[in-house]
């Protein structure tokens, strides 16, 4: 009988310990956020060129962010990241040269900025959520 109680307690202990903390406190982050880019689209120009365009929201960018902000772009072929680039001065277009024009590409575009005043122990880099567009 003691063995059965011991086994039941051993099995239930991880469930009890896992349910004791509040995920909202752990997952939530306070601070400044950047909005996502709007109207992201790609246009093929030629067999190996793509033009990406988007707009930067006019509202939602906090005064605590240094201006002009940058744009962070990641290029994926399948699930493999092929390249990334930071574009400065709030650009709204970018030309992509496709290394393999027959392959499927995905491009993720994020806004990137820095805080004017860095808090002790916290990063001053802020990224927005990414918007994705397929090329090809």
């Amino acid at each position: 009988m003691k063995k059965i109680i011991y086994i039941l307690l051993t099995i239930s202990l991880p469930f009890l310990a896992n349910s004791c903390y509040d995920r909202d406190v752990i997952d939530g982050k306070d601070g400044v956020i950047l909005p996502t880019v709007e109207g992201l689209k790609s246009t093929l120009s030629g067999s190996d060129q793509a033009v990406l365009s988007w707009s930067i929201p006019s509202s939602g960018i906090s005064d605590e962010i240094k201006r002009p902000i940058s744009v962070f772009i990641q290029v994926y072929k399948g699930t493999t990241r092929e390249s990334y680039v930071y574009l400065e001065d709030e650009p709204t277009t970018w030309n992509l040269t496709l290394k393999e024009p027959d392959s499927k590409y995905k491009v993720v575009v994020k806004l990137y900025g820095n805080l004017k005043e860095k808090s002790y122990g916290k990063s001053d880099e802020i990224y927005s959520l990414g918007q994705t567009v397929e090329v090809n």
Side-chain angles (χ1 to χ4, degrees):
M1 183 68 174
K2 285 185 177 183
K3 287 184 180 181
I4 294 173
I5 294 174
Y6 177 75
I7 291 172
L8 289 174
L9 285 175
T10 305
I11 291 173
S12 64
L13 186 63
F15 294 111
L16 292 173
N18 195 25
S19 64
C20 291
Y21 56 87
D22 188 4
R23 291 297 313 179
D24 292 337
V25 173
I26 294 171
D27 293 339
K29 293 184 180 179
D30 293 333
V32 179
I33 61 170
L34 281 171
T36 59
V37 297
E38 297 174 343
L40 177 62
K41 62 182 177 180
S42 70
T43 308
L44 291 175
S45 65
S47 62
D48 66 342
Q49 294 289 318
V51 178
L52 297 164
S53 61
W54 60 88
S55 62
I56 296 174
S58 57
S59 64
I61 299 176
S62 172
D63 292 335
E64 297 177 49
I65 301 282
K66 291 180 191 174
R67 296 299 288 261
I69 58 176
S70 300
V71 174
F72 177 60
I73 299 175
Q74 299 171 325
V75 179
Y76 290 88
K77 185 173 79 173
T79 58
T80 306
R81 185 173 74 180
E82 287 229 325
S83 63
Y84 66 91
V85 65
Y86 287 92
L87 305 174
E88 297 178 349
D89 298 326
E90 300 187 18
T92 56
T93 61
W94 184 61
N95 294 327
L96 169 64
T97 302
L98 304 174
K99 293 179 184 176
E100 296 177 22
D102 296 333
S103 297
K104 298 279 186 190
Y105 288 88
K106 289 183 183 176
V107 180
V108 179
V109 179
K110 300 178 182 184
L111 294 180
Y112 167 76
N114 291 305
L115 294 174
K116 291 178 182 174
E117 294 183 24
K118 182 177 179 179
S119 299
Y120 179 75
K122 295 182 180 178
S123 175
D124 67 336
E125 296 180 335
I126 308 292
Y127 288 89
S128 72
L129 294 175
Q131 293 292 318
T132 304
V133 67
E134 291 187 8
V135 178
N136 272 357

